[in-house]
Amino acid sequence: MGLISELKLAVPWGHIAAKAWGSLQGPPVLCLHGWLDNANSFDRLIPLLPQDFYYVAMDFGGHGLSSHYSSGVPYYHQTFVSEIRRVVAALKWNRFSILGHSFGGIVGGMFSCIFPEMVNKLILLDSPLLLLESNEVENLLTYKRRTIEHMLQVEASQEPSRVYSLKQLLQRLLKSNSHLNEECGELLLQRGTTKVAAGLVLNRDQRLSRPENSIDLVSRELYVHSIRKLQAHVLFIKAVHGYFDVRRENYSKESLSFMIHTLKSTLKEVRRGSGSWCPATVTHSGPTSPISCTGKTPGLAPGPTSDHQDLSGLTLHCGRSLEAWGHMSSEFRKQRPLVGRFFYHPRVPILLPGPDTIR
């Protein structure tokens, strides 16, 4: 599936950049990248997904090819959520699916709770739907202070953007992300840098610092209330030793259990036939290697709706092969096993019309 076009959508502070693949007449899917990444995160995943959808991957403000926020305007969770609303208004989408990785999943999750009638499917790639404030209460004011101080420091600095060689940037990127290979690192840098006479400069806004300085952490009470607002089907894919185990050491197993329990009790978990839930674990050894499966028969396809129910054709919802998700995990720096769970809202009928993941 080839890239259709690069998009530039007007916003009050400049533009939001995006790229599109697939059929313009197909069901729309908005792809949201992780923190300090860009829309190129999806370049190697999208061609592996069903071709009869219209995929648009946007660069959040201050990332990739999108404009930086105006001087004096901080990057907050709510402003990233509002970017989604601006983008889909420009695209004239009334209802669509969200495919969000890491930070993109958190922003997409909040949007899905605030505008529940607009989101058909929410697919979380190694991302919580919302971030709990558990174990973080004593740090909340510190995070807010850091945001303000960092923004003022960057704005007061008169230093020009630092110039790097491609080799320097790639080494820096790979050192910070041990599970990212060279090929994928270069792909992110293609959209994350601008060529100047002496080399390359990073496109991202220097006011962007650590993600916890920009993300809203919610109480358990607000988390439960937000989940009840959802109308979307939710597919949660967790990378073993990924975000919850490595990047957020302080995100406790108890918090993750609470999140999944709330999804299960508020929404409805899809089970395979009349059997109980069976986790499916997928492993792979490289960006183009085949997938191997461990554990019992996967429980993500509800009954005999797919032609591939055995381990050799491990399936997600509606029978889509998990091979694409194996490739996906290497694209997103998670060359580790994946475990998937699928939930849907009991008030919204679930449709199983064909062999794909999102419809």
Side-chain angles (χ1 to χ4, degrees), residues 127-359:
S127 168
L129 194 147
L130 300 170
L131 269 183
L132 293 175
E133 65 181 13
S134 304
N135 305 323
E136 294 278 13
V137 173
E138 62 185 36
N139 297 322
L140 294 181
L141 294 179
T142 300
Y143 293 156
K144 295 180 185 301
R145 174 172 177 155
R146 282 181 189 167
T147 301
I148 296 170
E149 289 182 339
H150 180 74
M151 180 180 68
L152 294 176
Q153 180 182 1
V154 171
E155 290 178 351
S157 173
Q158 299 299 315
E159 295 181 7
S161 298
R162 184 176 173 183
V163 179
Y164 301 87
S165 68
L166 176 59
K167 183 178 180 180
Q168 286 175 320
L169 281 176
L170 191 57
Q171 288 177 342
R172 175 179 169 178
L173 184 60
L174 297 181
K175 183 178 179 180
S176 301
N177 302 277
S178 59
H179 296 281
L180 187 68
N181 63 35
E182 254 186 65
E183 185 180 357
C184 294
E186 289 179 357
L187 192 62
L188 288 173
L189 290 175
Q190 283 176 14
R191 197 175 183 90
T193 59
T194 295
K195 192 171 184 178
V196 295
L200 298 171
V201 295
L202 290 169
N203 290 342
R204 70 175 178 86
D205 195 327
Q206 295 303 308
R207 288 175 292 175
L208 293 163
S209 54
R210 297 182 61 84
E212 57 263 32
N213 295 345
S214 297
I215 295 176
D216 289 339
L217 304 176
V218 302
S219 66
R220 295 188 175 212
E221 183 181 10
L222 180 56
Y223 184 90
V224 173
H225 176 74
S226 300
I227 295 298
R228 288 174 178 163
K229 294 291 185 182
L230 279 176
Q231 294 182 21
H233 305 328
V234 179
L235 175 61
F236 169 56
I237 299 177
K238 175 183 179 292
V240 178
H241 305 305
Y243 174 88
F244 298 96
D245 303 304
V246 176
R247 294 190 177 277
R248 294 283 298 184
E249 292 85 352
N250 57 349
Y251 200 99
S252 67
K253 291 183 179 179
E254 194 272 335
S255 296
L256 177 60
S257 297
F258 173 82
M259 183 186 82
I260 294 177
H261 173 75
T262 304
L263 284 170
K264 290 176 66 175
S265 60
T266 308
L267 308 182
K268 183 177 180 181
E269 185 172 9
V270 171
R271 297 176 183 270
R272 183 166 183 251
S274 58
S276 60
W277 160 257
C278 298
T281 301
V282 187
T283 61
H284 60 95
S285 56
T288 59
S289 62
I291 307 303
S292 62
C293 308
T294 60
K296 299 180 180 180
T297 306
L300 292 179
T305 58
S306 167
D307 294 331
H308 302 88
Q309 294 290 346
D310 61 8
L311 289 179
S312 62
L314 188 60
T315 57
L316 291 179
H317 176 44
C318 298
R320 173 64 182 173
S321 171
L322 251 179
E323 181 179 358
W325 301 104
H327 285 273
M328 176 271 312
S329 65
S330 64
E331 304 309 308
F332 294 106
R333 315 172 187 171
K334 304 290 192 301
Q335 295 185 6
R336 296 161 175 174
L338 296 175
V339 177
R341 310 191 90 152
F342 183 73
F343 304 89
Y344 72 96
H345 202 287
R347 295 197 301 271
V348 181
I350 184 168
L351 304 177
L352 305 171
D356 54 66
T357 303
I358 305 168
R359 194 194 305 274

Side-chain angles (χ1 to χ4, degrees), residues 4-45:
I4 292 180
S5 61
E6 287 278 354
L7 307 176
K8 190 177 283 190
L9 308 171
V11 290
W13 62 91
H15 69 270
I16 293 292
K19 54 200 305 185
W21 299 261
S23 169
L24 283 166
Q25 288 71 44
V29 181
L30 186 64
C31 305
L32 305 174
H33 63 77
W35 185 252
L36 301 186
D37 288 344
N38 55 64
N40 276 13
S41 296
F42 296 94
D43 274 16
R44 293 176 61 187
L45 172 61

Side-chain angles (χ1 to χ4, degrees), residues 87-107:
V87 166
V88 298
L91 295 171
K92 297 181 169 53
W93 291 357
N94 295 317
R95 191 165 173 82
F96 60 99
S97 295
I98 290 176
L99 178 64
H101 167 240
S102 192
F103 170 74
I106 299 170
V107 177

